[in-house]
Amino acid sequence: MCEDTPVVLVVEDEADLADFFATVLRREYDVRVALDGTEAVRAYDESVDVALLDRRMPERRGSQVLTQIRDAPGDCAVAMVTAVDPDFDIVEMGFDDYVRKPVSRDELVSLVERMVRRRQLDDSLRSHYRLARTAALLEAQKSGAELAASDEYDRLLAELDATEQELVGSAELSAADVGSLLRDDGSPE
Amino acid sequence: MSDVPPLGSNVLVVESEPTAALRYAFDKFGETEGPTIVVNAAPRTESVLAAAGEAWAAEANHVVDCSGETADATALDAALTVAGSDVPSVGEATVRALDDATTPVGLCLDPVSAVVERSSIQQAYKLLYLVAERVRSLDARAFYTWNGPIEERTRRILARPLDDVVQLGAGERRATGAGDGER
């Protein structure tokens, strides 16, 4: 696996199911498996891109693991993969997706693809914003002639264009994915 | 004869009077056929609410209320959806309303200034980017209103994912830096 391979943390107390998830996902992702909440917290770090969390587990429930993940550095996308029917208690949980078991191979692949894509788009959107903000600052301060003569400004615009290319496909996001992408990321202005 | 090119599909309308930008958007929608969606993003004073309500009642086909207030559907001759006032809810409800429309639509997100007040310029930027892309892909048309004074830097940042900026009152009209209205 290369350094850019997305990291997926599978948190599932049924060993057979965890094994199935890992086998399916290992073809495309760097997969870590945790069989309970304590292991999950230990296995989680900033490099994790996507976490798949079971809700009902011994020791720590999935919702508790989710809280700890959200409190830790990093901002991975989290999907609850569970047999538990959603109830009002999910309102406060702050996950990105909620999938009912049983989950087929195709559903699993599609779920993780969607979440990885959403994260990549979020990173690109943030970069795009930072570049746009810098360009706006220069455009508000400098004259047209000064901007035209500036190699730095040229490079900035080229970077903006390049980031724009990374955002291709954002118009195909579902409404729910747009909502997830817009969740407060806590990054500084 | 005017040589001003037609406006792009996503336009930021800046105006200090609370309902003027909304009226401007409705005037533009009146030039074309198709349903109109208004996303109300701000809690409003009673007088503004009355004026805006009149406009919605007359023109809007679908109001998405993200104001955080209790929506009064009685004054509306339009479908009403109530959604949360946080930015993700505004984005999700807006995109859903666009996707649910069966023909190319006019969208008015009114006002973006309230979105920025409630969150951050970065969040508002991401919202505008995602909604604007959806508007383009659906061959729709959208106006994003700004009520009150706006810093030059903020105006330039928010204009970047859009196609045009219209400053009402000053007679100013300019294309944005990102694509110069040709995205």
Side-chain angles (χ1 to χ4, degrees):
Chain A
M1 289 281 164
C2 73
E3 209 175 289
D4 292 338
T5 305
V7 177
V8 179
L9 173 62
V10 173
V11 186
E12 172 58 63
D13 67 327
E14 288 178 51
D16 288 350
L17 194 54
D19 224 30
F20 166 67
F21 286 178
T23 305
V24 170
L25 296 173
R26 269 203 183 106
R27 291 170 194 170
E28 298 287 334
Y29 307 104
D30 182 353
V31 180
R32 298 176 194 174
V33 175
L35 296 173
D36 60 47
T38 308
E39 265 187 53
V41 171
R42 212 175 293 138
Y44 178 78
D45 60 34
E46 280 179 83
S47 65
V48 174
D49 295 286
V50 175
L52 305 179
L53 282 185
D54 188 12
R55 283 188 70 180
R56 239 186 239 141
M57 292 185 294
E59 294 181 43
R60 268 182 252 214
R61 289 203 303 263
S63 56
Q64 292 172 298
V65 176
L66 174 57
T67 303
Q68 286 183 276
I69 285 177
R70 289 296 185 225
D71 288 344
D75 61 345
C76 80
V78 177
M80 308 305 285
V81 183
T82 173
V84 181
D85 283 328
D87 207 336
F88 290 114
D89 59 346
I90 66 169
V91 174
E92 299 298 324
M93 281 190 193
F95 49 75
D96 297 282
D97 219 324
Y98 195 101
V99 179
R100 291 287 320 280
K101 288 179 188 167
V103 180
S104 71
R105 174 188 296 261
D106 287 350
E107 285 168 334
L108 181 68
V109 169
S110 161
L111 169 69
V112 175
E113 273 177 2
R114 206 164 62 233
M115 298 189 71
V116 167
R117 175 80 185 122
R118 203 189 287 163
R119 251 188 73 90
Q120 286 167 341
L121 280 174
D122 193 27
D123 288 346
S124 301
L125 253 183
R126 281 191 231 174
S127 301
H128 201 265
Y129 166 74
R130 279 195 290 272
L131 295 165
R133 186 185 56 180
T134 307
L137 199 59
L138 287 173
E139 287 160 0
Q141 292 291 323
K142 304 287 184 186
S143 69
E146 285 175 310
L147 292 172
S150 163
D151 289 342
E152 289 89 348
Y153 183 66
D154 265 358
R155 272 202 301 277
L156 184 63
L157 294 186
E159 277 186 67
L160 257 172
D161 281 348
T163 323
E164 186 88 37
Q165 296 308 310
E166 294 169 14
L167 287 163
V168 168
S170 58
E172 288 154 23
L173 292 168
S174 70
D177 278 344
V178 167
S180 291
L181 241 176
L182 289 169
R183 295 248 143 70
D184 189 14
D185 50 32
S187 57
E189 272 284 295
Chain B
M1 202 168 111
S2 169
D3 58 354
V4 178
L7 289 168
S9 52
N10 289 283
V11 181
L12 180 67
V13 186
V14 179
E15 172 56 88
S16 54
E17 191 193 324
T19 56
L22 189 66
R23 284 253 56 110
Y24 174 87
F26 281 134
D27 285 348
K28 292 291 175 190
F29 291 145
E31 295 168 6
T32 54
E33 297 283 315
T36 304
I37 300 165
V38 173
V39 178
N40 173 33
R44 298 163 189 275
T45 63
E46 207 167 302
S47 60
V48 172
L49 199 59
E54 279 171 26
W56 296 341
E59 314 275 359
N61 301 100
H62 185 177
V63 173
V64 181
D65 197 312
C66 303
S67 66
E69 294 180 330
T70 308
D72 178 11
T74 55
L76 298 175
D77 185 20
L80 176 70
T81 302
V82 178
S85 59
D86 56 299
V87 177
S89 298
V90 173
E92 194 169 335
T94 304
V95 168
R96 185 161 287 131
L98 281 168
D99 287 350
D100 286 348
T102 49
T103 54
V105 294
L107 170 76
C108 186
L109 204 164
D110 179 59
V112 174
S113 39
V115 176
V116 173
E117 265 174 40
R118 277 205 296 269
S119 57
S120 65
I121 296 173
Q122 177 171 236
Q123 283 293 88
Y125 181 89
K126 287 166 74 174
L127 172 70
L128 293 193
Y129 191 99
L130 294 168
V131 172
E133 283 294 297
R134 184 63 57 116
V135 164
R136 289 186 192 99
S137 75
L138 294 172
D139 200 19
R141 193 169 188 202
F143 291 92
Y144 309 84
T145 67
W146 182 281
N147 294 330
I150 183 169
E151 281 181 23
E152 177 63 9
R153 188 179 75 128
T154 302
R155 190 190 67 76
R156 285 180 179 276
I157 292 172
L158 296 180
R160 174 98 26 201
L162 308 180
D163 305 303
D164 279 297
V165 178
V166 171
Q167 174 83 50
L168 295 182
E172 180 194 10
R173 150 91 194 284
R174 64 181 92 180
T176 70
D180 293 326
E182 293 181 354
R183 295 166 47 130

